[in-house]
Coordinates of all heavy atoms in Angstrom, one line a residue:
V1 N -8.7 8.1 -2.4 CA -8.4 7.7 -3.8 C -9.7 7.6 -4.6 O -9.8 8.0 -5.8 CB -7.5 6.5 -3.9 CG1 -7.4 6.0 -5.3 CG2 -6.2 6.7 -3.2
H2 N -10.7 6.9 -4.0 CA -11.9 6.7 -4.7 C -12.6 8.0 -5.0 O -13.1 8.2 -6.2 CB -12.8 5.8 -3.8 CG -14.2 5.6 -4.4 ND1 -14.5 4.8 -5.5 CD2 -15.4 6.1 -4.0 CE1 -15.8 4.9 -5.8 NE2 -16.4 5.6 -4.9
R3 N -12.7 8.9 -4.1 CA -13.3 10.2 -4.3 C -12.6 11.0 -5.4 O -13.2 11.6 -6.2 CB -13.4 11.0 -3.0 CG -14.4 10.5 -2.0 CD -14.6 11.5 -0.9 NE -13.4 11.8 -0.1 CZ -13.0 11.1 0.9 NH1 -13.8 10.1 1.4 NH2 -11.9 11.4 1.6
R4 N -11.3 10.9 -5.4 CA -10.5 11.7 -6.4 C -10.8 11.1 -7.8 O -10.9 11.8 -8.8 CB -9.0 11.7 -6.0 CG -8.7 12.4 -4.7 CD -7.2 12.7 -4.7 NE -6.4 11.5 -4.6 CZ -6.0 10.9 -3.5 NH1 -6.5 11.3 -2.3 NH2 -5.2 9.8 -3.5
A5 N -10.8 9.7 -7.9 CA -11.0 9.1 -9.1 C -12.4 9.4 -9.7 O -12.6 9.7 -10.9 CB -10.9 7.6 -9.0
V6 N -13.4 9.4 -8.8 CA -14.8 9.8 -9.3 C -14.8 11.2 -9.8 O -15.4 11.5 -10.8 CB -15.8 9.5 -8.1 CG1 -17.1 10.1 -8.5 CG2 -15.9 8.0 -7.8
M7 N -14.2 12.1 -9.0 CA -14.3 13.5 -9.4 C -13.5 13.7 -10.7 O -14.0 14.5 -11.6 CB -13.7 14.4 -8.3 CG -14.0 15.9 -8.5 SD -15.8 16.3 -8.7 CE -16.4 15.8 -7.1
G8 N -12.4 13.0 -10.9 CA -11.7 13.2 -12.1 C -12.5 12.6 -13.3 O -12.5 13.3 -14.4
S9 N -13.2 11.6 -13.1 CA -14.0 11.0 -14.2 C -15.2 12.0 -14.5 O -15.5 12.2 -15.7 CB -14.6 9.7 -13.7 OG -13.6 8.7 -13.5
L10 N -15.8 12.6 -13.5 CA -16.9 13.5 -13.7 C -16.3 14.8 -14.5 O -17.0 15.3 -15.4 CB -17.5 13.9 -12.4 CG -18.4 12.8 -11.7 CD1 -18.8 13.3 -10.4 CD2 -19.5 12.4 -12.6
D11 N -15.1 15.2 -14.1 CA -14.6 16.4 -14.8 C -14.3 16.0 -16.3 O -14.5 16.9 -17.2 CB -13.3 16.8 -14.1 CG -13.5 17.5 -12.8 OD1 -14.7 17.8 -12.5 OD2 -12.5 17.6 -12.0
S12 N -13.8 14.8 -16.5 CA -13.5 14.4 -17.9 C -14.8 14.3 -18.7 O -14.9 14.7 -19.9 CB -12.8 13.0 -17.9 OG -11.5 13.2 -17.3
L13 N -15.9 13.8 -18.1 CA -17.2 13.8 -18.7 C -17.7 15.2 -19.0 O -18.4 15.4 -20.1 CB -18.2 13.0 -17.8 CG -18.1 11.5 -17.8 CD1 -19.0 10.9 -16.8 CD2 -18.3 10.9 -19.2
S14 N -17.4 16.1 -18.1 CA -17.8 17.5 -18.4 C -17.2 18.0 -19.7 O -17.9 18.6 -20.5 CB -17.4 18.4 -17.2 OG -18.1 18.0 -16.0
W15 N -15.9 17.7 -19.9 CA -15.2 18.1 -21.1 C -15.8 17.4 -22.3 O -16.0 18.0 -23.4 CB -13.7 17.9 -21.0 CG -13.0 19.1 -20.5 CD1 -12.5 19.3 -19.3 CD2 -12.6 20.2 -21.3 NE1 -11.8 20.6 -19.3 CE2 -11.9 21.1 -20.5 CE3 -12.9 20.5 -22.7 CZ2 -11.4 22.3 -21.0 CZ3 -12.4 21.8 -23.2 CH2 -11.7 22.6 -22.3
F16 N -16.0 16.1 -22.1 CA -16.5 15.3 -23.3 C -17.8 15.9 -23.8 O -18.0 16.1 -25.0 CB -16.7 13.9 -22.8 CG -17.2 12.9 -23.8 CD1 -16.3 12.3 -24.7 CD2 -18.5 12.6 -24.1 CE1 -16.7 11.4 -25.7 CE2 -19.0 11.8 -25.0 CZ -18.0 11.1 -25.8
F17 N -18.8 16.1 -22.9 CA -20.1 16.7 -23.3 C -20.0 18.1 -23.8 O -20.7 18.5 -24.7 CB -21.1 16.5 -22.2 CG -21.5 15.1 -22.0 CD1 -21.3 14.4 -20.8 CD2 -22.2 14.3 -23.0 CE1 -21.6 13.1 -20.6 CE2 -22.5 13.0 -22.8 CZ -22.3 12.4 -21.6
A18 N -19.1 18.9 -23.1 CA -18.9 20.3 -23.5 C -18.4 20.4 -25.0 O -18.9 21.2 -25.8 CB -18.0 21.0 -22.6
V19 N -17.4 19.5 -25.3 CA -16.9 19.6 -26.7 C -17.9 19.1 -27.7 O -18.0 19.7 -28.8 CB -15.6 18.7 -26.7 CG1 -15.1 18.5 -28.2 CG2 -14.5 19.3 -25.9
L20 N -18.6 18.0 -27.4 CA -19.7 17.6 -28.3 C -20.7 18.7 -28.5 O -21.2 18.9 -29.6 CB -20.4 16.3 -27.7 CG -19.6 15.0 -27.8 CD1 -20.4 13.9 -27.3 CD2 -19.2 14.7 -29.3
A21 N -21.1 19.3 -27.4 CA -22.2 20.4 -27.5 C -21.7 21.6 -28.3 O -22.4 22.0 -29.2 CB -22.6 20.8 -26.1
T22 N -20.5 22.0 -28.0 CA -20.1 23.2 -28.8 C -19.7 22.9 -30.2 O -19.9 23.7 -31.1 CB -18.8 23.8 -28.1 OG1 -17.8 22.8 -28.0 CG2 -19.2 24.4 -26.7
S23 N -19.2 21.7 -30.5 CA -19.0 21.3 -31.9 C -20.2 21.2 -32.7 O -20.3 21.6 -33.8 CB -18.2 19.9 -31.9 OG -17.0 20.0 -31.3
S24 N -21.3 20.6 -32.1 CA -22.5 20.5 -32.8 C -23.1 21.9 -33.1 O -23.7 22.2 -34.2 CB -23.5 19.7 -32.0 OG -23.8 20.3 -30.8
L25 N -23.0 22.8 -32.1 CA -23.5 24.2 -32.3 C -22.7 24.9 -33.5 O -23.2 25.6 -34.3 CB -23.3 25.0 -31.0 CG -24.3 24.7 -29.9 CD1 -24.0 25.5 -28.7 CD2 -25.8 25.0 -30.4
A26 N -21.4 24.6 -33.5 CA -20.5 25.2 -34.5 C -20.9 24.8 -35.9 O -21.0 25.5 -36.9 CB -19.1 24.9 -34.3
F27 N -21.2 23.5 -36.0 CA -21.6 22.9 -37.3 C -23.0 23.4 -37.7 O -23.3 23.7 -38.9 CB -21.6 21.4 -37.3 CG -20.3 20.8 -37.6 CD1 -19.5 20.4 -36.6 CD2 -19.8 20.7 -38.9 CE1 -18.2 19.9 -36.8 CE2 -18.5 20.2 -39.1 CZ -17.7 19.8 -38.1
I28 N -23.9 23.5 -36.7 CA -25.3 24.1 -37.0 C -25.2 25.5 -37.6 O -25.9 25.9 -38.5 CB -26.2 24.0 -35.8 CG1 -26.5 22.5 -35.5 CG2 -27.5 24.7 -36.0 CD1 -27.2 22.3 -34.1
E29 N -24.3 26.3 -36.9 CA -24.2 27.7 -37.3 C -23.6 27.8 -38.7 O -24.0 28.6 -39.5 CB -23.2 28.4 -36.3 CG -24.0 29.5 -35.5 CD -23.0 30.3 -34.7 OE1 -22.2 31.0 -35.2 OE2 -23.2 30.2 -33.5
S30 N -22.7 26.9 -39.0 CA -22.0 27.0 -40.4 C -22.9 26.3 -41.4 O -22.5 26.3 -42.6 CB -20.7 26.3 -40.3 OG -20.8 24.9 -40.0
R31 N -23.9 25.6 -41.0 CA -24.8 24.9 -41.9 C -24.1 23.8 -42.7 O -24.4 23.6 -43.9 CB -25.6 25.9 -42.8 CG -26.4 26.9 -42.1 CD -27.1 27.8 -43.0 NE -27.9 28.8 -42.3 CZ -28.7 29.7 -42.9 NH1 -28.7 29.8 -44.2 NH2 -29.4 30.6 -42.1
K32 N -23.1 23.2 -42.1 CA -22.4 22.1 -42.8 C -22.7 20.8 -42.1 O -23.2 20.8 -40.9 CB -20.9 22.4 -42.8 CG -20.6 23.6 -43.7 CD -19.1 23.8 -43.9 CE -18.8 24.9 -44.8 NZ -17.3 25.1 -44.9
A33 N -22.4 19.7 -42.7 CA -22.6 18.4 -42.1 C -21.8 18.2 -40.9 O -20.6 18.6 -40.9 CB -22.3 17.3 -43.2
F34 N -22.4 17.7 -39.9 CA -21.7 17.4 -38.6 C -20.8 16.2 -38.7 O -21.2 15.1 -39.0 CB -22.7 17.2 -37.5 CG -22.1 17.0 -36.1 CD1 -21.1 17.8 -35.6 CD2 -22.5 15.9 -35.3 CE1 -20.6 17.6 -34.4 CE2 -22.0 15.7 -34.1 CZ -21.0 16.6 -33.6
D35 N -19.5 16.5 -38.5 CA -18.5 15.4 -38.6 C -18.3 14.8 -37.2 O -17.6 15.2 -36.4 CB -17.1 16.0 -39.1 CG -16.1 14.9 -39.4 OD1 -16.3 13.7 -38.9 OD2 -15.2 15.1 -40.1
I36 N -19.2 13.7 -37.0 CA -19.2 13.1 -35.7 C -17.9 12.5 -35.3 O -17.5 12.5 -34.1 CB -20.3 12.0 -35.6 CG1 -20.5 11.5 -34.2 CG2 -20.0 10.9 -36.6 CD1 -20.9 12.5 -33.2
G37 N -17.1 12.0 -36.2 CA -15.8 11.4 -35.9 C -14.8 12.4 -35.4 O -14.2 12.1 -34.4
V38 N -14.7 13.5 -36.0 CA -13.8 14.6 -35.5 C -14.3 15.1 -34.1 O -13.5 15.2 -33.2 CB -13.8 15.8 -36.5 CG1 -13.0 16.9 -35.9 CG2 -13.2 15.3 -37.8
A39 N -15.6 15.3 -34.0 CA -16.1 15.7 -32.7 C -15.8 14.7 -31.5 O -15.4 15.1 -30.4 CB -17.6 16.0 -32.8
L40 N -16.0 13.4 -31.8 CA -15.8 12.4 -30.8 C -14.3 12.3 -30.5 O -13.9 12.2 -29.3 CB -16.3 11.1 -31.3 CG -17.8 10.8 -31.2 CD1 -18.2 9.5 -31.8 CD2 -18.3 10.9 -29.7
G41 N -13.5 12.5 -31.5 CA -12.0 12.4 -31.2 C -11.6 13.6 -30.4 O -10.8 13.4 -29.4
L42 N -12.1 14.8 -30.6 CA -11.7 15.9 -29.8 C -12.3 15.8 -28.4 O -11.6 16.2 -27.4 CB -12.2 17.2 -30.4 CG -11.5 17.7 -31.7 CD1 -12.2 18.9 -32.3 CD2 -10.1 18.0 -31.4
A43 N -13.5 15.2 -28.3 CA -14.1 15.1 -26.9 C -13.3 14.1 -26.1 O -13.0 14.3 -24.9 CB -15.5 14.6 -27.1

């Protein structure tokens, strides 16, 4: 159970950082202000 919980947490963190990274890149490309609230919510 411990190993599964740790791996699930790491997978969730992967998504969290992946969404933040791609959201920031999208805003940089569009040259608009980065909406940190929306990005954190989606992450």
Side-chain angles (χ1 to χ4, degrees):
V1 171
H2 174 72
R3 286 193 298 271
R4 296 197 297 271
V6 169
M7 192 54 65
S9 300
L10 291 174
D11 288 346
S12 296
L13 283 175
S14 298
W15 264 104
F16 184 85
F17 289 116
V19 171
L20 285 180
T22 56
S23 295
S24 62
L25 287 174
F27 276 100
I28 291 172
E29 246 185 63
S30 63
R31 297 181 181 180
K32 293 186 179 180
F34 180 48
D35 191 339
I36 187 63
V38 173
L40 282 175
L42 288 175

